[in-house]
Amino acid sequence: ITIKSNTKDVYGGGFAGSANTSTVDLINGTVDGSVYGGGYQGPTTTSYVNLTGATINKDIYGGGNAGETIEANVSLTSGTVKNSVYGGGFEGKTITANLTFDGATIIKDIYGGGNEGLTDTTNILIESGTIEGTIYGAGFGSTSQTNYVNIIIKSDVNNVYGGGFAGIAGVTSVDLISNTVVGSVFGGGFQGPTTTATVSLNGANITEDIYGGGDEGLTSSTTVLINSGTVGGTIYGAGRGALSHTENINVLIKTDINKVYGGGNAGSCGDTVVRIEKGTVEDNVYGGGYAGTSQNTKVQIDDSNNLSGILIKGSVFGGGEGITASVYESTDVYIDLALDMTVTEQLESLGDISGISNVTVNFNGTYSKILGSVYGGGDLGQVGEGIINIINNTASISQTAEL
């Protein structure tokens, strides 16, 4: 189907009938309704929707309306969509959805999944274009489900969620390469639950915050990898809102950042691990959250894998920051710094150490430094128990909280 003038709804597939391959080319004109790559109640094997200049007043769906689509492909290189773009269908099942954006204008949001219904695998590639709304890797509605989400962003966008708005998401991956996100990035969804979320910063600029979890929903497991790029705000291993909960959290830092929490902003979380291997931290490092509770926390500061060292300008806390940011069970702070200083200078550089501590000192020719203090507990919140291990390999001393 080739559209060069005004029309209403467009279906690549049939009305209750099956279609093998459907192609919808949207070249000129205006579509007053929505565009579906698949059919209405009928199955489609492979669908293609290509926007190269037309204006769509409502939505674009790679899949069908209540019909199954095996493979849905949406390519947007020019033109305007005044509503949203979905990789899946309105209500139907879609096995694989591939969305590529390279020049079009989207007034509202992008969903890798469907409005409702199941989408097994979604791949989203943002090369260029204007997206005025938010990017969701999964679907919109609470009955939508997306099992696997892969998002690669190379162009400037607003907020990004690996999960859905209210829909269920399985495994999500958000890779931020060379773009600017004017807003925040979430590995999980806005309201819907996510099983496993990964956020990788590989050269992009994030103006606000990064969250491994979601805004309000449950995220079972999160991984946040900060390899290169800039984060204008703060890095959280867990979610943002008070209704969010994140179970297992891993945060790895290999570049300069402002501040990092293993936990979330306000939501609760289970076990957290924050590991810093390289770069400068302008503020503090927390194993727990800003306000939400945590179960067990670990902070690992280890420069053994790099030659440029680590500089932490603030302090290191095994727990959280706020008075409600309690850790129910235990905190563990592990510091392995190869410091080119005397034993006395090294201990002075670590500042005050509170809690039970076992200290071993090593020199290895690389300069790393903590300008503030090291605390097994939190800033204001309570901790069940805390232990600090500061480990290196040549000289060894054992101290307790008086250090």
Side-chain angles (χ1 to χ4, degrees):
I1 300 173
T2 301
I3 306 297
K4 294 184 178 181
S5 62
N6 298 349
T7 187
K8 293 184 178 180
D9 290 338
V10 177
Y11 289 88
F15 182 93
S18 61
N20 288 327
T21 301
S22 70
T23 301
V24 179
D25 291 321
L26 303 160
I27 299 173
N28 292 307
T30 299
V31 176
D32 288 333
S34 295
V35 176
Y36 303 85
Y40 179 78
Q41 296 184 346
T44 303
T45 303
T46 305
S47 70
Y48 297 90
V49 177
N50 303 311
L51 179 65
T52 59
T55 297
I56 315 302
N57 283 340
K58 291 187 178 179
D59 303 308
I60 287 181
Y61 295 90
N65 185 348
E68 179 177 354
T69 305
I70 303 300
E71 179 183 335
N73 300 281
V74 178
S75 174
L76 298 95
T77 57
S78 182
T80 301
V81 180
K82 292 187 177 181
N83 240 8
S84 298
V85 176
Y86 298 83
F90 179 74
E91 291 180 342
K93 177 180 179 181
T94 305
I95 304 301
T96 302
N98 301 306
L99 293 88
T100 302
F101 299 84
D102 197 4
T105 297
I106 315 300
I107 302 301
K108 291 190 176 179
D109 303 319
I110 291 173
Y111 298 91
N115 189 304
E116 302 290 353
L118 171 67
T119 305
D120 186 66
T121 301
T122 290
N123 301 299
I124 301 175
L125 174 60
I126 312 293
E127 294 276 9
S128 66
T130 300
I131 301 169
E132 297 184 8
T134 298
I135 297 173
Y136 298 93
F140 170 75
S142 60
T143 62
S144 68
Q145 178 175 335
T146 310
N147 293 331
Y148 299 95
V149 175
N150 296 290
I151 304 174
I152 298 175
I153 301 179
K154 300 180 181 180
S155 179
D156 295 352
V157 296
N158 295 319
N159 294 323
V160 178
Y161 291 85
F165 178 81
I168 300 168
V171 179
T172 71
S173 174
V174 180
D175 193 0
L176 306 155
I177 296 177
S178 58
N179 60 300
T180 296
V181 176
V182 183
S184 295
V185 177
F186 300 81
F190 178 71
Q191 293 177 341
T194 302
T195 303
T196 303
T198 301
V199 177
S200 302
L201 184 65
N202 293 305
N205 172 38
I206 315 302
T207 63
E208 295 182 9
D209 305 316
I210 289 181
Y211 297 87
D215 206 325
E216 298 178 5
L218 167 68
T219 307
S220 299
S221 176
T222 71
T223 300
V224 179
L225 305 173
I226 309 298
N227 296 314
S228 62
T230 60
V231 181
T234 301
I235 297 165
Y236 299 88
R240 179 166 66 179
L243 297 178
S244 68
H245 179 77
T246 311
E247 284 294 331
N248 298 300
I249 298 163
N250 285 278
V251 180
L252 176 60
I253 307 296
K254 293 186 177 182
T255 191
D256 299 346
I257 62 170
N258 291 326
K259 194 175 188 178
V260 60
Y261 295 90
N265 179 41
S268 60
C269 63
D271 296 343
T272 75
V273 177
V274 176
R275 182 175 178 84
I276 299 176
E277 294 187 353
K278 186 179 180 181
T280 297
V281 181
E282 295 290 337
D283 205 316
N284 296 333
V285 176
Y286 295 91
Y290 171 71
T293 59
S294 306
Q295 199 75 19
N296 297 283
T297 67
K298 290 183 179 181
V299 177
Q300 301 172 346
I301 301 175
D302 185 352
D303 69 354
S304 59
N305 293 324
N306 78 82
L307 299 177
S308 57
I310 297 169
L311 174 60
I312 297 175
K313 294 184 178 181
S315 295
V316 177
F317 296 86
E321 180 174 5
I323 195 168
T324 60
S326 299
V327 179
Y328 289 138
E329 294 189 6
S330 66
T331 68
D332 187 352
V333 180
Y334 173 97
I335 300 175
D336 188 346
L337 299 180
L339 305 179
D340 192 11
M341 295 185 257
T342 67
V343 175
T344 301
E345 288 173 337
Q346 173 160 353
L347 297 179
E348 288 176 350
S349 78
L350 293 171
D352 297 328
I353 299 177
S354 304
I356 304 170
S357 58
N358 299 302
V359 181
T360 312
V361 181
N362 171 54
F363 309 104
N364 200 23
T366 303
Y367 183 153
S368 292
K369 194 169 185 179
I370 298 172
L371 301 183
S373 300
V374 179
Y375 301 92
D379 195 347
L380 297 175
Q382 296 181 348
V383 172
E385 63 178 58
I387 185 166
I388 297 177
N389 296 305
I390 303 178
I391 300 177
N392 291 312
N393 41 333
T394 49
S396 173
I397 59 173
S398 295
Q399 299 286 348
T400 54
E402 290 78 28
L403 180 63

